[in-house]
Amino acid sequence: MKNAIISFPCPANEPVKTYLEGSPERIALDEELERQYNTVVEIPLIIGGKEIFTGNIKEVVCPHEHGHVLARYHQAGEKEIKMAIDAAMTAHKQWAETDWTVRAAIVLKCAELLSTKYRPIMNAATMLGQSKNIFQAEIDSACETIDFFRYNVHYASKLYAIQPKDGKGFIDSTEYRPLEGFVLAVTPFNFTSIASNLNMTPVLLGNTTVWKPSGTAVLSNYYMMKMFEEAGVPAGVVNFVPSKGSEIGRICCASKDLAGIHFTGSTATFQTLWKSVGENIAHYVSYPRLVGETGGKDYIFVHPSAVADEIAWAAFSGAYEFQGQKCSAASRIYVPKSMWPAVLEKMKKFASEISMGDVRDPQNYINAVIDETSWDNIDSYLKYAEAADDAKIVMGGGRDKSVGYFVEPTVIETSNPHFKTMEEEIFGPVLTVYPYDDDKVWEAVHDLDTTSPYGLTGSVFGRDRLEVQKIADALCYTAGNFYINDRPTGAVVGMQPFGGSRASGTNDKAGGEFNLIRWVLPRCIKETLVTPTDYHYSYMKK
Ligand code: NAD
């Protein structure tokens, strides 16, 4: 019998550990790095709680040492993808009917496991497999993931508590049913936390998922799946299906039971999925919910009243941490011409101080970009800039893929506010600057607003707070996460719920309460206490 009314108050954010040399967390992490570096894991599919080995094998390598294999994973084909849909549908009824506080307990157990036993495991896998340094891994695969678990439980308790008012003689209530069908969770390489969250938010609300992890994040995502199982997520509630993106997308979108897609990745992939849903729209049991957070061309706008040193910090750390592979990474900057030389000089000083290399050496501020496709893509943009008349590379530009996929922190300076790298997402450590005439602030603001199709993150710097406010107002639709006198990255769960609009996504705000609403189907119930027996209204009587 479960009839307690349990409250889940707003949690505190998981503290970021220091990893100072000799600290317990550093010792545990170093041991785990050593273990994972010297192990080749065989990763199966996990469907309906069962491990499946297809023999169609792909490798997981260290991006910073691509000759080193960390894991071999089995890829699903059509048969296994359909099995995963069936498993999710089979598990749906029991999971939907499970008391939500039991589901919450399982999610909170995930948070506790990750905060303790699994912390070094997830951090080491994210470092080695996705080339994140200690700090980048800790804020992603540990802290942000834990925060998603704990905050979502709190938000779910608030959501379920939203109830209509009663009238005289009847009781009203709203039941928050999970969606009718399965949710396809398609997850990106760049955040282990997002891979977890795209599954566990719908799951907390009673849904079941078919999970397509990114091929370059399979190692950390597999350990995450093992942790879900250990926490008590029942068989079939999350189905782990590494597979070819186009194949799983096609098969799931053709299923009548597709109830939603929870996606993070590039704009092009999300648009492909959306089109596929459109083509199948007449066949579904219900209209699938499409939630996607996608690409960005995130900006820093510098007002002439700003301070050069602050801009150098924001641009350098905002553009280059995790090699610029955060969806929120600064990738274009508008600076008054008179201030730009001082900003660039400071950025060059920073660049001369840092080193680039293996994630196991904590001195390396910069590690590798994720894979060869990404390296080649960045290389093509740099070649384009090298050959252009209206742009030049003024910092960095070096790159080498012989051992790992390395690209130096780079600045492209352009005289053309519509230069290709001012408009398109590169997803690497490349920042393009457009130095504007100091007396043409509003032309530059207009250029910013109309240059790129994206609307994810942006920031404005200036000591003149009134001017800054006018600029913030003018840039109203350019960013779903907007910063004043701060870099445009580093959103924290519960504090800056994340997501953008325009070509950047549906802005359903991961890490905030709005996202949860997308994964429930409210059913409103009116219960009449004494049912009438006569159809006459009083005015009809003589
Ligand atoms: P991606 O689009 O290449 O891949 C994302 C996922 O989609 C992967 O699992 C991939 O295998 C899968 N996929 C590819 N083609 C598919 C298809 N046709 N059908 C179904 N699935 C398919 O993106 P990525 O390289 O993993 O991640 C980088 C991108 O993600 C960048 O554009 C970045 O801006 C974006 N991103 C956005 C946010 C955000 O919150 N807005 C957060 C993180 C990353």
Side-chain angles (χ1 to χ4, degrees), residues 479-490:
N481 283 71
F482 186 75
Y483 297 79
I484 294 175
N485 291 323
D486 204 340
R487 56 190 190 159
T489 186

Side-chain angles (χ1 to χ4, degrees), residues 186-187 189-190 212 245 264-266 269 293-295 327 425 427 498:
V186 181
T187 64
F189 80 84
N190 67 336
K212 156 69 182 89
T264 298
S266 64
T269 307
E293 296 304 332
T294 64
C327 42
E425 184 182 49
F427 226 55
F498 193 78

Side-chain angles (χ1 to χ4, degrees), residues 290-423:
L290 303 180
V291 176
E293 296 304 332
T294 64
K297 191 70 201 172
D298 310 309
Y299 63 83
I300 297 173
F301 188 88
V302 184
H303 184 262
S305 66
V307 177
D309 278 359
E310 295 173 8
I311 308 309
W313 163 78
F316 196 87
S317 67
Y320 304 135
E321 286 183 0
F322 188 39
Q323 298 75 258
Q325 298 171 115
K326 298 183 185 187
C327 42
S328 56
S331 62
R332 54 179 166 140
I333 175 167
Y334 301 76
V335 192
K337 270 187 183 155
S338 65
M339 196 189 298
W340 175 233
V343 174
L344 181 61
E345 192 187 327
K346 189 77 185 261
M347 288 180 73
K348 283 184 172 169
K349 180 175 176 298
F350 290 153
S352 71
E353 291 164 2
I354 57 148
S355 57
M356 182 162 75
D358 195 314
V359 293
R360 288 170 301 163
D361 179 350
Q363 297 310 314
N364 289 330
Y365 183 78
I366 303 285
N367 312 107
V369 300
I370 192 71
D371 61 10
E372 186 164 22
T373 309
S374 173
W375 192 95
D376 290 347
N377 182 46
I378 298 165
D379 180 56
S380 72
Y381 278 103
L382 297 183
K383 283 188 177 132
Y384 182 87
E386 282 159 355
D389 293 333
D390 49 357
K392 57 181 187 260
I393 294 177
V394 293
M395 189 184 101
R399 61 252 194 216
D400 178 39
K401 63 171 173 176
S402 54
V403 176
Y405 303 112
F406 292 107
V407 181
E408 280 178 358
T410 298
V411 176
I412 299 171
E413 184 179 322
T414 182
S415 54
N416 173 7
H418 293 281
F419 188 68
K420 191 176 167 75
T421 63
M422 290 293 284
E423 305 207 317

Side-chain angles (χ1 to χ4, degrees), residues 28-39 124 128 360:
L29 179 65
D30 285 345
E31 281 172 12
E32 183 60 19
L33 282 166
E34 182 73 10
R35 185 190 74 78
Q36 289 193 22
Y37 185 79
N38 292 302
T39 313
L128 295 172
R360 288 170 301 163

